[in-house]
Every structure is written in C-alpha cells, then in structure tokens.
Amino acid sequence: MTLLRFRMFERALDHKPVEVKAPSRNPSDYFGEKVFGRQQMRKYLNKQIYEALLDTIEKNTPLSTDIADAVAAGMRGWALDNGADHYCHWFQPLTGGTAEKHDSFSEPDGIGGMLEEFSGKVLVQQEPDASSFPSGGIRNTFEARGYSAWDPTSPAFIVDTTLCIPTVFISYTGEALDYKTPLLRSITAVSNAATEVCRYFDRSVERVKVYLGWEQEYFLVDDALWSARPDLVQTGRTLMGHESAKNQQLDDHYFGAIPQRVLAFMRDLEYECLKLGIPLKTRHNEVAPNQFELAPIYEEANLANDHNQLLMTIMGKVATRHNFRVLLHEKPFKGVNGSGKHNNWSLGTDTGVNLLKPGRTAFENLQFITFLVNVIAAVHRHNGLLKASVMSASNEHRLGAGEAPPTIISTFLGKQVSEVLDKIEESLGNQDIRFDSKNVFRMGGLAQIPSLLLDNTDRNRTSPFAFTGNRFEFRAVGSSDNCADAMIVLNTAVAEALTEFRTKVDAKIQSGEKRDKAIYETIRELIRECKAIRFDGNGYSEEWRKEALQRGLDCETSAPLVLDRYLDPQSVDLFEKLNIYSHKEIEARTEIKWEQYVKKIQIEARVLGELAMNHIVPIASKYEDVLLDKVCKMQKLGLKTETDIKLIRNIQNRTATIQTLVGEMIESRKVANNIENTREKAIAYHDTVAAYFDRIRTEIDKLEEVVDDQIWTLPKYREILFVK
C-alpha cells in the first residue's frame, strides 16, 4: 500500500482505548445534573415562581414579565454555580442540525468592572440572523430579522460552559423556520383531537400526550482512515470501494461482544448523555461491521426529539476523544446494511392509560381499537405524504435496499389484531372485543428454561409502519433525520382522523344510536376504508409492489417526485385546517427539500469526479506503466505476455470508460445547473446526474480488484470496517 495509506492504517492500529473512569456514583445520582429540571427549579426558584412555571409547562399558562425575570435569575444562578460563562438560544433550523450563538453573562457595570446579567427578556426572546438559514424564499438576504423564543416545556441544559435554552425559530413575518414550531403545533392538534375521543370512555381525561422512543443506528470508523477518504469526509458516504470479502454475511456482528474501544466510547457517551437528562437505556452491535445502535427510554415527543438532536452533537464530540468518527449517513457503505432511526410512537392519557395497548375488558378494548383503527386510517389516507416526510438524498439509498423498509408505506398488525379487525368488519352488530393477553409458550424438553410469554403480535422487519403490541414503530426514518419531520406528518394525520371520527360518531348519537354502537359502527366503516394499507407479508417482494399498485398505494421511488406529496391539495388542506403550516410555509419547506437534494447530489458528483480523475485514473495509469515495462522486458526474453497484455487492456478500457463517464456527468451537471425551477433541477439531478454514480463506481471498484495494492491510495473496505 502507499506510504500515506500505510501511515493512516498504522495510526488506526496504534489507537488504544481511551480510559474512561467509571463515575463513583450511580447513574441515578448524576442523571440530569446538567439540566435545569424540576429538582434544580425547586432549589433556585421560590415556591410561587416554581408553581407558575409548572403551570406554563403543564397547562400552557402565559408567563408574565415578572415571572420570566425571576426564572431567568434562578437559571442564571444555577448556570453560574455549574461553571457556565455563556448562554445561547438552541434551536433547530431547516438545515437538519442545531444552531446556537453564544453570548457571555458578563456585562460592564459602568464603573470599570463586570457583572453577570441575564434578564427575562433575553431568556424569552432573541434575534438571530434569519437570512443565512434555509427559508425556501420566505427570507431574502436583505431581510435578516428572525426571532428565537423560549420553549419552557423543554428544560435548559449546560454543554461544556454554555447554558443552552431550547427555543423555536420564526421569521420576522411569523412563519416557522424550524422543526420545533410545527412539531409543537402537531402535538397540540393530536392531543386536542385525542382528548375529545377519550371522553367517550373516560370523562376525567384532560390531556393526551404524544410519546416517542427513537432507536439511533450509526457507524464508527477510525478517525485516521476517515481522514484519508475524501468522499467520507465531504459526503458522509463512500462513493467508491469494492466490498470486503467478509462483510456481514456470517451474521456474526449483530448482538456480538462489543469491541473494547467501542465500549469505551459508549460508556463515555452514556455518561455525558445521562448528565444531560437523555435517558439512554440500550446499546448493542448492529448487523453491519462497525455498526451500532443505542436507544433511550420513551419520553414526550417534543423532549425526545430535542434529546435526539442533542445526542447527535454529543456523539461527534465524544467520538473524537476516542479517535473515532461517527457516520450518521443512511448508507455509508455499499453492500452492507444502512442506518435508520426507528421512531416508536404512542399516545397516552394524563390518567396513565396507553391508548395503543389492548385492555382487559371489552370496554377497554373498544377504546384501544378506536385509536388503533384511526391511526391506520390516517396512515392510509396520507401514505404518500408520510413517505415524503422521511425521503431525502441520503435515505433514498437505504429505503427499499433489502435491509430497510420498502418505499411503499404499509402497516403490519400481526395475526391476532388482524383477525379481530376482520371479525369486526364482518360482524352485524356491537360485539365484545377480546384479546388473549399473552399466550404461554413452553420450551419443550428444556425444564431449566422458564416459560415465555408470547406477545399478541410478531414482528415484521419489512414493514415501514408496524404495530408492536403497545405502539407503532415507524421504521423508515433515516439515521440523520430530524425525527420531527416524520412526527409532524403522523401527528397531524392522526389528529385529522380522530377529529373526523368524533364528528361521525356524534352524528350517529344525535340520530338516536347508542354511544357504543355508534363507535363500533364507525370503526367498521374505517376498517373497510383503510384495508388497503394493511399488509403482514414480505415487503421486499416484487409481488407486493404489484399488489400495492393495485391497492392504490403510493409506489413512487424518486425522491424529488415523492416530495410532491407535500403540495398535493389533500396535504395542503390537512396542514392548513389544523394550523400546522400555512400554504406559504408548506411551499417553502418543499422548496428547501428540493434544494437540499440538489446540493447533496451536486457535492457527491463533484467529489466523485475529482476522485476519479485525480486519484483513480492516475493510480491505474501508473500501474499500467509498470505492467507495460514488464511486458517489454519479458518480450525481449521471449517470455509469454498474453495475460499481462490482457490485464493492461482491461485497465486501459476501464480508465477510458471512467474518463468518458465523468465527462458526461459533468456536462449533465452543467445542464441541470441552468434549470431555474428547483423542483425540475432536483428531478434532473436525480435522473441525469446521479444516474452516473453507480456506472462510474462499478469501473473504479473493478480497478481496485486488479491494481497493485502497494500503490492504491484510498483505504479499502476491509480496512475501514474492521479496525478494532
């Protein structure tokens, strides 16, 4: 291998696990110590201020200026006591990441000294520049003003020495420029609609909460080898690279023993996250080499989403301490599994009832079926929009790739639940709805193994939206995604379904039907309406694709065309009537998604072209010269040279093909760049620019197989994926 590649690989092998000193305390002792949570509030706020702030958090009661000033004073005192010297409004712009501008607590006192100041006005509102963030045309470069406003429902926290205050981010003219604002709107919409339906069953319900439990998949690669791969550095994925002879085909990495260096990273990450109140629970090896997963305990959706965004930042910081790089791209390596971020979603009442969990009585199960069927109906009506919420240039590589959900949204319910819905559909009147709570399964001949309790559903890994016993798991969300995008659509669609359900049931009751019968009959109608979305079979099969088309489901796979679903009249009506997005906001966000698609493919095309022409072709030509010199010498000695000449021709043909394809790709990019309409430009990049990627890659990967390893400059899959 080349000297550069050897040095990079040597550095990777030299890395020792960073020693992580185990905290002398139990996690329960330091959990949330960097968060201005209720325990800290009680200490730094007086009782009146504390109770007023709780009313704002739990009941949406407005905060007066005096209360805000008192909260700011307490927050400042806590922050200074914990080593903070700056503060920032922490928000989630439409870049997909987070944003923060740090300001010092210190202010001149007018007599040559400094004071630590932090007022309620600064806590509640600031004015970051709105022109430099994606706005989809809402903000022009010369229209810079935007506002960030405190979200009291998500507690402030300290990272390093900065107090971070979660906020929404809106334009000067009031449009949302972030993910948090519409997420909060959607949570309110589904909570209000679900609460009204809950009161058919329990009049004491005052509020329904939306819960989210995300599962974060990611790759770890050695920092030295990452640095030697320009494609990984600039795009997050390998644009070339022949598969390793051994990858994941032996299924030996999944749930295997965690490598020592990785375990040190995980322990360090968990410690940092627990201090920040992120309740991490699970860690394990995933299917692909160097792929891992972590997951927290469920939280309310707004806080859970904030925690996932914070986690992705913390992961990167901790990884550098351990000489790793975290890859959150959905498909960083060809030939092995990509990474997702499964979103486990459920609804629960303020009285402690999980609305998506089967009950013990017929009445409880009627409530369960009511919410289950309304969720299914929502997914059926807006399956294309739900797909659009998770579609991107990076997730496009993963969806339908054989290890992730297909690009057809369907719901898996399991045998028992499906049978119950079928019986309800076929029945003529109101009947008791019952589920076997859990079947007992005994391990035959193994007396030492305790009896197992079988859940009322199996699992289906090919289903994008699967019911898993007490929640739905939306498995199509990408590993780099902001969870809010998918949750906004799901919450809004369910809110619409529940609102229409309530209207229909009330109409039946007013016409003289008994309440339970009215509910039951409306459920039957919904079951018939949304039957096309239910599928418990193999989502990867070609037969399913054909059947899904016949069922009328959205089967589009092109990301730019999938994004059209946001602008469908049905989608616009959905968002507008529930006050989630204005028409202007929908158009702006769709424009941003198309624009981001163009830019990501554009970057990949540039990197691929540069690597092909500046690395691969010169390397192959250099090896070709070596072979030509060898052939000349062998011919002088009268030795046979047919095999070497065949290899030379193979290399020459492939380098010529690469040069031709790269030239054509560049010309296609020039044509696409001249298209003014962003949607049409995105389609052109998908159809005419990205179409060259695999063709160029195939030629490069074939060269990697035959060119002398001693002169190949780029670290190979066998090196990147198996560094311990």
Side-chain angles (χ1 to χ4, degrees):
M1 63 179 70
T2 61
L3 180 61
L4 172 63
R5 187 160 137 245
F6 175 78
R7 295 297 186 205
M8 295 296 101
F9 192 58
E10 187 178 47
R11 278 177 54 196
L13 289 175
D14 281 347
H15 290 326
K16 300 291 189 296
V18 175
E19 184 179 356
V20 180
K21 294 183 179 179
S24 58
R25 302 168 292 164
N26 294 321
S28 58
D29 296 327
Y30 59 82
F31 178 74
E33 69 178 22
K34 294 294 185 180
V35 179
F36 193 62
R38 299 198 180 192
Q39 181 178 346
Q40 290 80 1
M41 290 177 192
R42 282 193 293 267
K43 181 177 179 181
Y44 286 87
L45 304 177
N46 65 41
K47 184 178 180 181
Q48 179 186 358
I49 301 300
Y50 172 71
E51 290 178 350
L53 182 56
L54 284 191
D55 280 345
T56 296
I57 294 170
E58 296 177 354
K59 302 177 183 178
N60 296 323
T61 305
L63 269 182
S64 67
T65 302
D66 291 343
I67 298 296
D69 282 335
V71 172
M75 195 180 290
R76 178 196 63 201
W78 168 76
L80 294 174
D81 287 349
N82 283 271
D85 49 33
H86 283 69
Y87 63 88
C88 74
H89 274 197
W90 181 86
F91 56 97
Q92 300 169 33
L94 299 176
T95 58
T98 58
E100 52 196 62
K101 177 173 71 74
H102 299 192
D103 287 303
S104 172
F105 284 114
S106 300
E107 296 282 352
D109 64 0
I111 54 175
M114 300 289 285
L115 292 173
E116 281 69 42
E117 295 288 345
F118 184 61
S119 67
K121 181 180 179 180
V122 172
L123 167 64
V124 170
Q125 179 179 315
Q126 286 194 309
E127 295 183 14
D129 183 347
S131 66
S132 298
F133 292 106
S135 69
I138 290 177
R139 297 272 81 193
N140 295 309
T141 302
F142 59 87
E143 297 172 322
R145 193 182 298 279
Y147 297 111
S148 54
W150 178 36
D151 171 19
T153 63
S154 186
F157 53 89
I158 295 173
V159 174
D160 298 324
T161 61
T162 301
L163 172 67
C164 300
I165 303 155
T167 62
V168 300
F169 180 44
I170 61 174
S171 73
Y172 177 70
T173 49
E175 293 88 4
L177 296 175
D178 66 343
Y179 288 100
K180 180 184 278 285
T181 302
L183 177 62
L184 289 172
R185 292 170 182 167
S186 75
I187 289 171
T188 299
V190 74
S191 176
N192 291 341
T195 299
E196 289 300 310
V197 174
C198 277
R199 287 176 178 161
Y200 286 135
F201 306 94
D202 183 357
R203 299 295 300 177
S204 67
V205 173
E206 295 293 333
R207 179 188 170 206
V208 170
K209 303 176 184 180
V210 183
Y211 291 98
L212 170 62
W214 40 263
E215 304 168 26
Q216 180 72 62
E217 295 175 340
Y218 61 97
F219 281 84
L220 285 177
V221 298
D222 195 275
D223 180 77
L225 298 176
W226 174 86
S227 299
R229 289 288 306 229
D231 48 354
L232 271 180
V233 172
Q234 295 184 71
T235 73
R237 76 179 183 104
T238 53
L239 299 174
M240 59 192 69
H242 194 275
E243 291 182 30
S244 172
K246 178 186 183 298
N247 49 46
Q248 67 186 46
Q249 66 265 48
L250 296 179
D251 300 320
D252 55 345
H253 190 256
Y254 191 51
F255 281 16
I258 300 172
Q260 188 179 3
R261 274 183 68 198
V262 175
L263 186 59
F265 159 77
M266 288 178 169
R267 292 176 62 207
D268 198 359
L269 176 63
E270 287 170 358
Y271 179 56
E272 295 295 337
C273 287
L274 289 171
K275 289 191 296 182
L276 287 164
I278 305 174
L280 295 187
K281 177 72 173 178
T282 302
R283 66 189 185 201
H284 63 82
N285 289 3
E286 255 300 333
V287 174
N290 278 24
Q291 187 187 34
F292 308 94
E293 181 180 298
L294 56 81
I297 297 169
Y298 282 60
E299 299 178 285
E300 290 192 45
N302 179 43
L303 181 58
N305 192 61
D306 281 1
H307 278 165
N308 184 251
Q309 289 296 109
L310 177 58
L311 168 95
M312 292 193 286
T313 302
I314 300 301
M315 287 177 82
K317 291 182 178 180
V318 174
T320 56
R321 295 206 292 255
H322 295 261
N323 300 305
F324 280 126
R325 289 285 176 163
V326 174
L327 302 182
L328 293 175
H329 192 286
E330 282 72 13
K331 195 73 171 179
F333 300 102
K334 184 179 180 180
V336 298
N337 281 16
S339 297
K341 179 151 50 191
H342 304 169
N343 278 204
N344 294 278
W345 177 91
S346 62
L347 298 172
T349 69
D350 56 356
T351 59
V353 175
N354 182 342
L355 296 171
L356 292 176
K357 183 178 180 180
R360 297 180 179 179
T361 67
F363 185 73
E364 290 174 349
N365 280 325
L366 181 61
Q367 177 176 266
F368 159 67
I369 289 293
T370 294
F371 282 91
L372 179 87
V373 172
N374 271 282
V375 173
I376 298 169
V379 173
H380 177 244
R381 292 169 187 167
H382 300 286
N383 66 93
L385 179 61
L386 204 58
K387 176 165 59 178
S389 74
V390 299
M391 186 56 78
S392 65
S394 53
N395 208 19
E396 189 178 33
H397 293 287
R398 167 179 165 264
L399 294 179
E403 87 282 346
T407 50
I408 303 168
I409 301 296
S410 62
T411 62
F412 166 83
L413 300 178
K415 181 179 179 181
Q416 186 181 165
V417 177
S418 292
E419 287 178 351
V420 168
L421 296 191
D422 289 342
K423 288 178 180 177
I424 294 173
E425 181 187 0
E426 295 164 3
S427 66
L428 298 176
N430 189 6
Q431 298 181 5
D432 285 353
I433 303 171
R434 297 192 180 276
F435 294 86
D436 295 334
S437 56
K438 287 195 176 180
N439 300 314
V440 176
F441 178 71
R442 299 188 183 279
M443 302 289 286
L446 298 176
Q448 70 272 33
I449 303 297
S451 300
L452 304 178
L453 293 177
L454 297 183
D455 291 285
N456 52 36
T457 67
D458 196 355
R459 291 179 181 267
N460 186 324
R461 291 301 181 187
T462 72
S463 175
F465 197 82
F467 179 66
T468 55
N470 60 3
R471 65 194 183 277
F472 278 97
E473 182 181 18
F474 191 16
R475 303 185 64 249
V477 183
S479 54
S480 65
D481 284 352
N482 187 313
C483 299
D485 240 357
M487 294 298 97
I488 290 164
V489 172
L490 179 58
N491 290 341
T492 308
V494 172
E496 178 194 54
L498 290 170
T499 300
E500 292 181 5
F501 178 84
R502 172 84 189 201
T503 300
K504 290 178 180 178
V505 172
D506 284 353
K508 286 182 171 64
I509 293 173
Q510 290 170 7
S511 67
E513 281 191 13
K514 297 286 187 179
R515 181 198 60 190
D516 288 5
K517 185 179 180 182
I519 293 171
Y520 192 86
E521 288 302 318
T522 308
I523 289 172
R524 288 182 66 206
E525 294 167 9
L526 283 178
I527 291 172
R528 294 192 194 100
E529 174 194 320
C530 64
K531 198 166 186 176
I533 201 71
R534 290 163 49 193
F535 179 67
D536 288 2
N538 180 7
Y540 297 154
S541 68
E542 184 58 32
E543 291 77 13
W544 166 234
R545 176 171 294 279
K546 294 176 182 177
E547 184 180 337
L549 278 169
Q550 293 176 347
R551 292 187 183 193
L553 302 182
D554 192 314
C555 298
E556 181 58 61
T557 59
S558 166
L561 295 179
V562 169
L563 295 175
D564 284 342
R565 300 289 78 74
Y566 272 101
L567 296 176
D568 286 346
Q570 181 186 27
S571 301
V572 174
D573 178 65
L574 169 73
F575 289 129
E576 286 191 317
K577 70 186 178 185
L578 290 169
N579 298 315
I580 309 302
Y581 294 129
S582 67
H583 199 169
K584 186 176 182 180
E585 288 173 323
I586 300 169
E587 289 181 332
R589 284 166 189 264
T590 311
E591 183 80 3
I592 290 168
K593 288 177 182 291
W594 282 319
E595 188 177 79
Q596 288 176 335
Y597 184 89
V598 167
K599 290 178 178 178
K600 287 183 178 181
I601 301 300
Q602 187 180 71
I603 291 169
E604 289 186 351
R606 287 174 173 172
V607 173
L608 179 59
E610 289 172 3
L611 282 176
M613 302 305 291
N614 297 335
H615 282 66
I616 305 305
V617 170
I619 290 166
S621 298
K622 182 178 181 180
Y623 184 50
E624 192 177 13
D625 286 343
V626 172
L627 291 174
L628 284 168
D629 185 58
K630 176 187 174 184
V631 166
C632 290
K633 291 176 180 177
M634 290 177 67
Q635 287 177 341
K636 287 179 180 179
L637 295 173
L639 301 175
K640 293 182 179 181
T641 59
E642 290 83 356
T643 302
D644 289 297
I645 291 174
K646 184 178 180 181
L647 180 56
I648 291 169
R649 286 174 176 162
N650 179 25
I651 294 172
Q652 199 280 325
N653 288 336
R654 294 197 183 281
T655 54
T657 301
I658 290 170
Q659 290 170 311
T660 299
L661 291 174
V662 168
E664 291 175 359
M665 181 180 69
I666 291 171
E667 291 305 312
S668 295
R669 199 172 72 229
K670 290 178 180 178
V671 172
N673 287 340
N674 286 326
I675 300 173
E676 292 188 7
N677 181 277
T678 310
R679 175 183 180 273
E680 296 303 319
K681 183 182 289 189
I683 293 171
Y685 261 93
H686 176 276
D687 294 347
T688 66
V689 178
Y692 282 97
F693 289 2
D694 283 343
R695 296 172 65 190
I696 295 170
R697 179 179 191 140
T698 297
E699 301 300 323
I700 293 173
D701 291 356
K702 290 296 183 181
L703 285 175
E704 184 183 318
E705 285 187 286
V706 298
V707 171
D708 188 349
D709 189 63
Q710 299 297 314
I711 65 173
W712 194 264
T713 58
L714 301 176
K716 298 182 177 182
Y717 272 27
R718 67 169 186 256
E719 297 158 352
I720 300 173
L721 286 173
F722 295 96
V723 175
K724 302 298 182 183

